[in-house]
Amino acid sequence: MCQHQPACPTSDSADREAARPVASHPEQGWSLLCNGVVLFEDTGELLPDGQVIGPHRPARTDRIVTAA
């Protein structure tokens, strides 16, 4: 699928999210990557074979500290 040089990661690669977007619809919350992956703004993914990858945002590490 990808025509970029160097080629983007394939849809079955661990770094598949690094592929370049070919269509972006931020108002709908998704982008189509050149490897066929649909990437959603919540970090969920839909792979070309129909497999669904759930959201995988990193856990928050910052804490709000309030004065007593």
Side-chain angles (χ1 to χ4, degrees):
M1 266 186 159
C2 179
Q3 302 297 318
H4 300 115
Q5 291 300 324
C8 292
T10 62
S11 63
D12 57 353
S13 296
D15 60 345
R16 63 182 158 258
E17 295 175 13
R20 295 186 190 183
V22 294
S24 182
H25 293 276
E27 73 282 0
Q28 296 176 355
W30 63 272
S31 295
L32 174 63
L33 306 181
C34 70
N35 58 6
V37 172
V38 177
L39 181 62
F40 296 95
E41 69 180 16
D42 69 354
T43 68
E45 302 169 23
L46 179 60
L47 304 185
D49 64 1
Q51 182 181 358
V52 175
I53 307 295
H56 48 276
R57 288 186 177 166
R60 288 186 62 168
T61 57
D62 60 325
R63 292 194 279 164
I64 299 173
V65 178
T66 57

